[in-house]
Amino acid sequence: MYPDHEGTSAYLKSLSLDELAQLDETMNDGLLVDWAPQPGPQLEAYVSRADVLLFGGQAGGGKSDLILGVAGTQHTRSVIFRRVSPSLRALLDRSRGMFNPGRDPVSIDSLNESLQRWRLNWDTPQARQIEFSSLEHEKDVQKHQGQPRDLHAFDEVTEFTEYQFRFAIGWNRTTKPGQRCRVLAASNPPTTQDG
């Protein structure tokens, strides 16, 4: 377990019912995101104070939803990586349900399909930008060099090389005062020795 796990678990257990309700209300305060973390490990990961967090488990355990939810509710500029582009399709499809719950064809919260980028609440203080990208080849990480993003998320992190992971997270930073920066990696158990 990640070293912060016990502290996060103790923090959640220490909250009264009113405080838990207030936490739930502030998660999506002013945002148009149709998602809240499930009680248990997903909620613990959501409120974790860890700078780098690995959220693992079996298929269907809410790992991709956690990544999308954290990006949509806690971070200003996010990038979500998958190893190959076709694997991004499921994430983009799921994001439509979370970031456009009214299924509006045109709204302030829009997905640019060609750029694979959401802009949520763009003209408000709660503005969010969420980009989706693949890192199929080692050199692909260089196209992300120098871009300030306060969340670097890796869906199925065991599919990436150590070099890709380390290089990408080296640019985890923000230009917004007070914005938290972190890395979130999610994965099923590795399927190869390299993973």
Side-chain angles (χ1 to χ4, degrees), residues 22-37 46 69 72-74 121 126 128:
Q22 185 179 14
L23 175 65
D24 188 45
E25 285 176 24
T26 59
M27 282 184 212
N28 293 324
D29 188 27
L31 300 172
L32 301 175
V33 177
D34 187 19
W35 179 83
Y46 182 83
T73 62
Q74 294 187 341
N121 297 345
Q126 296 90 7
R128 308 274 192 259

PDB file of all heavy atoms in Angstrom, residues 22-37 46 69 72-74 121 126 128:
ATOM      1  N   GLN A  22     -20.484  17.516   3.312  1.00  0.00           N
ATOM      2  CA  GLN A  22     -19.876  18.745   2.813  1.00  0.00           C
ATOM      3  C   GLN A  22     -18.761  18.426   1.812  1.00  0.00           C
ATOM      4  O   GLN A  22     -18.632  19.088   0.785  1.00  0.00           O
ATOM      5  CB  GLN A  22     -19.324  19.562   3.972  1.00  0.00           C
ATOM      6  CG  GLN A  22     -18.777  20.907   3.536  1.00  0.00           C
ATOM      7  CD  GLN A  22     -18.257  21.714   4.716  1.00  0.00           C
ATOM      8  OE1 GLN A  22     -18.072  21.203   5.812  1.00  0.00           O
ATOM      9  NE2 GLN A  22     -18.010  22.982   4.471  1.00  0.00           N
ATOM     10  N   LEU A  23     -17.963  17.398   2.082  1.00  0.00           N
ATOM     11  CA  LEU A  23     -16.923  16.967   1.159  1.00  0.00           C
ATOM     12  C   LEU A  23     -17.553  16.578  -0.175  1.00  0.00           C
ATOM     13  O   LEU A  23     -17.085  16.968  -1.239  1.00  0.00           O
ATOM     14  CB  LEU A  23     -16.141  15.779   1.743  1.00  0.00           C
ATOM     15  CG  LEU A  23     -15.091  15.138   0.834  1.00  0.00           C
ATOM     16  CD1 LEU A  23     -13.968  16.128   0.537  1.00  0.00           C
ATOM     17  CD2 LEU A  23     -14.539  13.879   1.466  1.00  0.00           C
ATOM     18  N   ASP A  24     -18.660  15.845  -0.127  1.00  0.00           N
ATOM     19  CA  ASP A  24     -19.356  15.424  -1.333  1.00  0.00           C
ATOM     20  C   ASP A  24     -19.855  16.638  -2.118  1.00  0.00           C
ATOM     21  O   ASP A  24     -19.755  16.680  -3.335  1.00  0.00           O
ATOM     22  CB  ASP A  24     -20.523  14.501  -0.975  1.00  0.00           C
ATOM     23  CG  ASP A  24     -21.162  13.874  -2.191  1.00  0.00           C
ATOM     24  OD1 ASP A  24     -20.423  13.409  -3.068  1.00  0.00           O
ATOM     25  OD2 ASP A  24     -22.403  13.879  -2.266  1.00  0.00           O
ATOM     26  N   GLU A  25     -20.380  17.646  -1.417  1.00  0.00           N
ATOM     27  CA  GLU A  25     -20.889  18.846  -2.086  1.00  0.00           C
ATOM     28  C   GLU A  25     -19.771  19.647  -2.739  1.00  0.00           C
ATOM     29  O   GLU A  25     -19.939  20.192  -3.825  1.00  0.00           O
ATOM     30  CB  GLU A  25     -21.626  19.746  -1.089  1.00  0.00           C
ATOM     31  CG  GLU A  25     -22.993  19.232  -0.697  1.00  0.00           C
ATOM     32  CD  GLU A  25     -23.646  20.112   0.366  1.00  0.00           C
ATOM     33  OE1 GLU A  25     -23.292  21.302   0.461  1.00  0.00           O
ATOM     34  OE2 GLU A  25     -24.508  19.582   1.084  1.00  0.00           O
ATOM     35  N   THR A  26     -18.610  19.719  -2.101  1.00  0.00           N
ATOM     36  CA  THR A  26     -17.525  20.532  -2.641  1.00  0.00           C
ATOM     37  C   THR A  26     -16.773  19.835  -3.766  1.00  0.00           C
ATOM     38  O   THR A  26     -16.059  20.487  -4.509  1.00  0.00           O
ATOM     39  CB  THR A  26     -16.514  20.914  -1.540  1.00  0.00           C
ATOM     40  OG1 THR A  26     -15.980  19.735  -0.959  1.00  0.00           O
ATOM     41  CG2 THR A  26     -17.158  21.787  -0.493  1.00  0.00           C
ATOM     42  N   MET A  27     -16.929  18.522  -3.927  1.00  0.00           N
ATOM     43  CA  MET A  27     -16.224  17.823  -4.994  1.00  0.00           C
ATOM     44  C   MET A  27     -16.555  18.393  -6.362  1.00  0.00           C
ATOM     45  O   MET A  27     -15.694  18.534  -7.205  1.00  0.00           O
ATOM     46  CB  MET A  27     -16.552  16.335  -4.973  1.00  0.00           C
ATOM     47  CG  MET A  27     -15.809  15.580  -3.924  1.00  0.00           C
ATOM     48  SD  MET A  27     -16.186  13.846  -4.084  1.00  0.00           S
ATOM     49  CE  MET A  27     -16.095  13.350  -2.405  1.00  0.00           C
ATOM     50  N   ASN A  28     -17.796  18.700  -6.594  1.00  0.00           N
ATOM     51  CA  ASN A  28     -18.218  19.191  -7.898  1.00  0.00           C
ATOM     52  C   ASN A  28     -18.769  20.613  -7.809  1.00  0.00           C
ATOM     53  O   ASN A  28     -19.575  21.013  -8.625  1.00  0.00           O
ATOM     54  CB  ASN A  28     -19.273  18.254  -8.501  1.00  0.00           C
ATOM     55  CG  ASN A  28     -18.690  16.907  -8.825  1.00  0.00           C
ATOM     56  OD1 ASN A  28     -17.542  16.813  -9.231  1.00  0.00           O
ATOM     57  ND2 ASN A  28     -19.463  15.870  -8.637  1.00  0.00           N
ATOM     58  N   ASP A  29     -18.328  21.377  -6.826  1.00  0.00           N
ATOM     59  CA  ASP A  29     -18.823  22.730  -6.596  1.00  0.00           C
ATOM     60  C   ASP A  29     -18.621  23.600  -7.835  1.00  0.00           C
ATOM     61  O   ASP A  29     -17.505  23.913  -8.213  1.00  0.00           O
ATOM     62  CB  ASP A  29     -18.103  23.349  -5.399  1.00  0.00           C
ATOM     63  CG  ASP A  29     -18.706  24.674  -4.989  1.00  0.00           C
ATOM     64  OD1 ASP A  29     -19.905  24.888  -5.236  1.00  0.00           O
ATOM     65  OD2 ASP A  29     -17.963  25.494  -4.422  1.00  0.00           O
ATOM     66  N   GLY A  30     -19.709  23.986  -8.471  1.00  0.00           N
ATOM     67  CA  GLY A  30     -19.651  24.852  -9.631  1.00  0.00           C
ATOM     68  C   GLY A  30     -19.243  24.159 -10.912  1.00  0.00           C
ATOM     69  O   GLY A  30     -19.083  24.796 -11.937  1.00  0.00           O
ATOM     70  N   LEU A  31     -19.047  22.860 -10.874  1.00  0.00           N
ATOM     71  CA  LEU A  31     -18.614  22.131 -12.064  1.00  0.00           C
ATOM     72  C   LEU A  31     -19.759  21.315 -12.630  1.00  0.00           C
ATOM     73  O   LEU A  31     -20.643  20.880 -11.907  1.00  0.00           O
ATOM     74  CB  LEU A  31     -17.443  21.203 -11.724  1.00  0.00           C
ATOM     75  CG  LEU A  31     -16.196  21.890 -11.181  1.00  0.00           C
ATOM     76  CD1 LEU A  31     -15.198  20.848 -10.711  1.00  0.00           C
ATOM     77  CD2 LEU A  31     -15.576  22.773 -12.224  1.00  0.00           C
ATOM     78  N   LEU A  32     -19.691  21.113 -13.915  1.00  0.00           N
ATOM     79  CA  LEU A  32     -20.710  20.303 -14.569  1.00  0.00           C
ATOM     80  C   LEU A  32     -20.129  18.923 -14.864  1.00  0.00           C
ATOM     81  O   LEU A  32     -19.933  18.538 -16.004  1.00  0.00           O
ATOM     82  CB  LEU A  32     -21.163  20.986 -15.870  1.00  0.00           C
ATOM     83  CG  LEU A  32     -21.754  22.383 -15.699  1.00  0.00           C
ATOM     84  CD1 LEU A  32     -22.042  22.998 -17.055  1.00  0.00           C
ATOM     85  CD2 LEU A  32     -23.019  22.324 -14.864  1.00  0.00           C
ATOM     86  N   VAL A  33     -19.831  18.189 -13.813  1.00  0.00           N
ATOM     87  CA  VAL A  33     -19.251  16.859 -13.947  1.00  0.00           C
ATOM     88  C   VAL A  33     -20.172  15.874 -13.247  1.00  0.00           C
ATOM     89  O   VAL A  33     -20.446  16.015 -12.056  1.00  0.00           O
ATOM     90  CB  VAL A  33     -17.827  16.806 -13.340  1.00  0.00           C
ATOM     91  CG1 VAL A  33     -17.257  15.401 -13.425  1.00  0.00           C
ATOM     92  CG2 VAL A  33     -16.911  17.793 -14.049  1.00  0.00           C
ATOM     93  N   ASP A  34     -20.655  14.896 -13.977  1.00  0.00           N
ATOM     94  CA  ASP A  34     -21.581  13.912 -13.431  1.00  0.00           C
ATOM     95  C   ASP A  34     -20.798  12.705 -12.907  1.00  0.00           C
ATOM     96  O   ASP A  34     -20.743  11.660 -13.544  1.00  0.00           O
ATOM     97  CB  ASP A  34     -22.573  13.484 -14.522  1.00  0.00           C
ATOM     98  CG  ASP A  34     -23.683  12.589 -13.973  1.00  0.00           C
ATOM     99  OD1 ASP A  34     -23.895  12.593 -12.751  1.00  0.00           O
ATOM    100  OD2 ASP A  34     -24.316  11.890 -14.775  1.00  0.00           O
ATOM    101  N   TRP A  35     -20.153  12.906 -11.752  1.00  0.00           N
ATOM    102  CA  TRP A  35     -19.350  11.838 -11.163  1.00  0.00           C
ATOM    103  C   TRP A  35     -19.031  12.181  -9.722  1.00  0.00           C
ATOM    104  O   TRP A  35     -18.818  13.349  -9.379  1.00  0.00           O
ATOM    105  CB  TRP A  35     -18.042  11.648 -11.933  1.00  0.00           C
ATOM    106  CG  TRP A  35     -17.169  10.582 -11.364  1.00  0.00           C
ATOM    107  CD1 TRP A  35     -17.257   9.244 -11.600  1.00  0.00           C
ATOM    108  CD2 TRP A  35     -16.073  10.748 -10.457  1.00  0.00           C
ATOM    109  NE1 TRP A  35     -16.287   8.576 -10.895  1.00  0.00           N
ATOM    110  CE2 TRP A  35     -15.553   9.475 -10.184  1.00  0.00           C
ATOM    111  CE3 TRP A  35     -15.500  11.853  -9.832  1.00  0.00           C
ATOM    112  CZ2 TRP A  35     -14.473   9.273  -9.332  1.00  0.00           C
ATOM    113  CZ3 TRP A  35     -14.427  11.654  -8.972  1.00  0.00           C
ATOM    114  CH2 TRP A  35     -13.919  10.363  -8.743  1.00  0.00           C
ATOM    115  N   ALA A  36     -18.991  11.167  -8.892  1.00  0.00           N
ATOM    116  CA  ALA A  36     -18.491  11.273  -7.525  1.00  0.00           C
ATOM    117  C   ALA A  36     -17.805   9.945  -7.211  1.00  0.00           C
ATOM    118  O   ALA A  36     -18.236   8.898  -7.690  1.00  0.00           O
ATOM    119  CB  ALA A  36     -19.618  11.539  -6.539  1.00  0.00           C
ATOM    120  N   PRO A  37     -16.717   9.960  -6.434  1.00  0.00           N
ATOM    121  CA  PRO A  37     -16.017   8.714  -6.142  1.00  0.00           C
ATOM    122  C   PRO A  37     -16.869   7.750  -5.331  1.00  0.00           C
ATOM    123  O   PRO A  37     -17.663   8.165  -4.492  1.00  0.00           O
ATOM    124  CB  PRO A  37     -14.785   9.162  -5.356  1.00  0.00           C
ATOM    125  CG  PRO A  37     -15.116  10.510  -4.850  1.00  0.00           C
ATOM    126  CD  PRO A  37     -16.109  11.107  -5.783  1.00  0.00           C
ATOM    127  N   TYR A  46      -9.120   9.374  -4.225  1.00  0.00           N
ATOM    128  CA  TYR A  46      -9.556  10.717  -4.623  1.00  0.00           C
ATOM    129  C   TYR A  46      -9.081  11.780  -3.637  1.00  0.00           C
ATOM    130  O   TYR A  46      -8.616  12.847  -4.045  1.00  0.00           O
ATOM    131  CB  TYR A  46     -11.081  10.746  -4.740  1.00  0.00           C
ATOM    132  CG  TYR A  46     -11.637  12.074  -5.183  1.00  0.00           C
ATOM    133  CD1 TYR A  46     -11.682  12.416  -6.528  1.00  0.00           C
ATOM    134  CD2 TYR A  46     -12.118  12.988  -4.255  1.00  0.00           C
ATOM    135  CE1 TYR A  46     -12.191  13.635  -6.941  1.00  0.00           C
ATOM    136  CE2 TYR A  46     -12.637  14.209  -4.659  1.00  0.00           C
ATOM    137  CZ  TYR A  46     -12.668  14.537  -6.004  1.00  0.00           C
ATOM    138  OH  TYR A  46     -13.170  15.745  -6.402  1.00  0.00           O
ATOM    139  N   GLY A  69     -12.484  11.544 -13.192  1.00  0.00           N
ATOM    140  CA  GLY A  69     -13.093  12.333 -12.127  1.00  0.00           C
ATOM    141  C   GLY A  69     -12.124  13.296 -11.478  1.00  0.00           C
ATOM    142  O   GLY A  69     -12.460  14.460 -11.231  1.00  0.00           O
ATOM    143  N   GLY A  72     -11.431  16.103 -13.928  1.00  0.00           N
ATOM    144  CA  GLY A  72     -12.563  16.995 -14.118  1.00  0.00           C
ATOM    145  C   GLY A  72     -12.954  17.815 -12.904  1.00  0.00           C
ATOM    146  O   GLY A  72     -13.659  18.812 -13.041  1.00  0.00           O
ATOM    147  N   THR A  73     -12.505  17.412 -11.721  1.00  0.00           N
ATOM    148  CA  THR A  73     -12.942  18.119 -10.518  1.00  0.00           C
ATOM    149  C   THR A  73     -11.815  18.778  -9.720  1.00  0.00           C
ATOM    150  O   THR A  73     -12.082  19.697  -8.953  1.00  0.00           O
ATOM    151  CB  THR A  73     -13.707  17.180  -9.556  1.00  0.00           C
ATOM    152  OG1 THR A  73     -12.832  16.134  -9.129  1.00  0.00           O
ATOM    153  CG2 THR A  73     -14.942  16.597 -10.218  1.00  0.00           C
ATOM    154  N   GLN A  74     -10.579  18.317  -9.873  1.00  0.00           N
ATOM    155  CA  GLN A  74      -9.520  18.827  -9.003  1.00  0.00           C
ATOM    156  C   GLN A  74      -8.371  19.531  -9.719  1.00  0.00           C
ATOM    157  O   GLN A  74      -7.543  20.153  -9.066  1.00  0.00           O
ATOM    158  CB  GLN A  74      -8.923  17.677  -8.176  1.00  0.00           C
ATOM    159  CG  GLN A  74      -9.887  17.083  -7.193  1.00  0.00           C
ATOM    160  CD  GLN A  74      -9.210  16.061  -6.288  1.00  0.00           C
ATOM    161  OE1 GLN A  74      -8.138  15.549  -6.589  1.00  0.00           O
ATOM    162  NE2 GLN A  74      -9.844  15.760  -5.180  1.00  0.00           N
ATOM    163  N   ASN A 121     -16.192  24.342 -18.323  1.00  0.00           N
ATOM    164  CA  ASN A 121     -16.415  25.631 -17.644  1.00  0.00           C
ATOM    165  C   ASN A 121     -15.387  26.666 -18.088  1.00  0.00           C
ATOM    166  O   ASN A 121     -14.846  27.407 -17.268  1.00  0.00           O
ATOM    167  CB  ASN A 121     -16.352  25.464 -16.126  1.00  0.00           C
ATOM    168  CG  ASN A 121     -17.423  24.562 -15.595  1.00  0.00           C
ATOM    169  OD1 ASN A 121     -18.389  24.251 -16.286  1.00  0.00           O
ATOM    170  ND2 ASN A 121     -17.267  24.125 -14.371  1.00  0.00           N
ATOM    171  N   GLN A 126     -13.538  28.121 -12.540  1.00  0.00           N
ATOM    172  CA  GLN A 126     -13.326  26.677 -12.400  1.00  0.00           C
ATOM    173  C   GLN A 126     -12.914  26.019 -13.722  1.00  0.00           C
ATOM    174  O   GLN A 126     -13.078  24.818 -13.893  1.00  0.00           O
ATOM    175  CB  GLN A 126     -14.602  25.987 -11.885  1.00  0.00           C
ATOM    176  CG  GLN A 126     -15.037  26.396 -10.512  1.00  0.00           C
ATOM    177  CD  GLN A 126     -15.991  27.590 -10.552  1.00  0.00           C
ATOM    178  OE1 GLN A 126     -16.430  28.027 -11.594  1.00  0.00           O
ATOM    179  NE2 GLN A 126     -16.292  28.131  -9.388  1.00  0.00           N
ATOM    180  N   ARG A 128     -11.345  24.041 -16.667  1.00  0.00           N
ATOM    181  CA  ARG A 128     -10.539  22.817 -16.716  1.00  0.00           C
ATOM    182  C   ARG A 128     -10.234  22.486 -18.168  1.00  0.00           C
ATOM    183  O   ARG A 128     -11.087  22.632 -19.038  1.00  0.00           O
ATOM    184  CB  ARG A 128     -11.299  21.622 -16.127  1.00  0.00           C
ATOM    185  CG  ARG A 128     -11.882  21.823 -14.747  1.00  0.00           C
ATOM    186  CD  ARG A 128     -10.830  21.507 -13.701  1.00  0.00           C
ATOM    187  NE  ARG A 128     -11.392  21.403 -12.379  1.00  0.00           N
ATOM    188  CZ  ARG A 128     -11.322  22.355 -11.464  1.00  0.00           C
ATOM    189  NH1 ARG A 128     -10.774  23.493 -11.734  1.00  0.00           N
ATOM    190  NH2 ARG A 128     -11.812  22.170 -10.261  1.00  0.00           N
TER     191      ARG A 128
END
